[in-house]
Amino acid sequence: MKEFNHTPVMLNECISGLNIRENGIYVDATCGGGGHSVEIAKRLGEGGRLFCFDQDGEAIEACKRRLSPFSCVSFVNENFKNARAVLNAMGISKVDGILADLGVSSYQIDTPERGFSYLLDGPLDMRMDERQHKSAFDVVNFYSQEALKKIIYEYGEEPFAPKIAAAIVKARANGNIATTAQLKQVIESVFPKSIIYGKGGVSKKTFQAIRIEVNGELELLQGAVEDFISLLAPGGRLAIITFHSLEDRIVKSTFKLAATDCICPPKTPVCICGHKAQIRLISKKPILPSAQELASNSRSHSAKLRVAEKLN
């Protein structure tokens, strides 16, 4: 098996944001290759614990290898949406910090067999959890034209969505679209050549949209962030890295609501909602990669880090 390599994005900023306590309990909700996890584990003492979650079985195995020197680490092959339930079942009701990197790992992108990249020819897959049934093949070949248009427009923010959806339906009438190269060719067929060759990467937004649909990436994100907040002990930190505007919008709005006391309509003379702030924002604006990181890791360019601290 190819080595699960992944350069952790904004590593120093994440570790600083988590404000790690030596004997605290921490969760890496998307451990990937373990780049963030290993730095958390290094900072834990004998009483500290780290729970590494990932829905990708290959990521879990890679993380186990990388963190084998540390006895304080437990591994869970589950989607982070189940983190609260899993931890509660283990007797863990509160933790001191949670990190969630919502990006696709370099390993997943660079492995043709996983079918994530329009730059590499491979089977249409895109499943982060290979145990699940639905893949990109199912979405591309069996979704209606209207459904395809909707997800490409909403999840990919692609203005060419109607034409792309129509082209996919037309192409699959002659046989299944089975590979990433075939899908890329269909997508590119609707764009003027001046855009394809002048701009490049015209398949990116559609591939993103299909990947989000396959993995249900946005459906449960708000609920997961709310669960993370509820898991934090007073003073605990939550750090989330997003890579596109749809994710960031959900995280930003969920943080904003959780950091607000009264949410009554502005003209309400006396608060009747009873809403109390649960967190404080460490930074009102997202933390962005440094110039040095942008120069050394091109995949960090769209990353945004938001950090919040649980109130008492």
Side-chain angles (χ1 to χ4, degrees), residues 9-10 241-243 286-289 299-305:
V9 172
M10 288 191 279
I241 306 172
T242 63
F243 287 85
I287 300 165
L288 304 178
R299 288 175 179 165
S300 70
H301 276 254
S302 58
K304 293 181 179 179
L305 170 65

Side-chain angles (χ1 to χ4, degrees), residues 143-158 160-166 209-210 213 219 246:
Y143 273 34
S144 69
Q145 183 172 327
E146 187 61 31
L148 286 169
K149 181 179 75 172
K150 187 174 188 292
I151 67 167
I152 294 169
Y153 183 76
E154 292 185 2
Y155 294 164
E157 299 180 298
E158 172 59 79
F160 279 77
K163 291 184 177 181
I164 294 170
I210 294 170
E213 173 65 17
E219 295 172 9
L246 299 173

Side-chain angles (χ1 to χ4, degrees), residues 85-248:
V86 170
L87 290 168
N88 287 170
M90 292 179 175
I92 306 294
S93 59
K94 294 294 178 184
V95 301
D96 298 290
I98 302 171
L99 170 65
D101 177 345
L102 302 183
V104 182
S105 74
S106 297
Y107 171 87
Q108 290 167 330
I109 294 171
D110 295 336
T111 302
E113 294 78 15
R114 300 299 296 269
F116 282 96
S117 177
Y118 58 90
L119 298 176
L120 302 169
D121 190 17
L124 269 181
D125 194 325
M126 302 193 195
R127 292 173 298 164
M128 291 184 177
D129 184 346
E130 294 183 289
R131 297 169 298 184
Q132 79 174 37
H133 175 70
K134 182 169 69 176
S135 69
F137 179 90
D138 301 304
V139 172
V140 169
N141 289 287
F142 303 118
Y143 273 34
S144 69
Q145 183 172 327
E146 187 61 31
L148 286 169
K149 181 179 75 172
K150 187 174 188 292
I151 67 167
I152 294 169
Y153 183 76
E154 292 185 2
Y155 294 164
E157 299 180 298
E158 172 59 79
F160 279 77
K163 291 184 177 181
I164 294 170
I168 289 173
V169 171
K170 181 180 178 180
R172 75 191 191 191
N174 298 317
N176 289 332
I177 300 171
T179 69
T180 54
Q182 286 177 304
L183 178 58
K184 178 185 177 185
Q185 185 176 26
V186 173
I187 296 166
E188 290 186 349
S189 71
V190 311
F191 286 87
K193 286 195 166 38
S194 60
I195 295 180
I196 295 174
Y197 299 115
K199 186 179 179 182
V202 294
S203 297
K204 181 178 181 179
K205 292 181 178 180
T206 300
F207 269 66
Q208 171 185 294
I210 294 170
R211 189 202 77 224
I212 290 172
E213 173 65 17
V214 168
N215 297 289
E217 294 175 35
L218 300 180
E219 295 172 9
L220 300 170
L221 181 56
Q222 179 179 334
V225 175
E226 290 170 349
D227 280 352
F228 291 159
I229 292 171
S230 71
L231 273 168
L232 290 175
R237 295 281 185 92
L238 171 58
I240 302 179
I241 306 172
T242 63
F243 287 85
H244 57 76
S245 60
L246 299 173
E247 290 175 336
D248 187 59

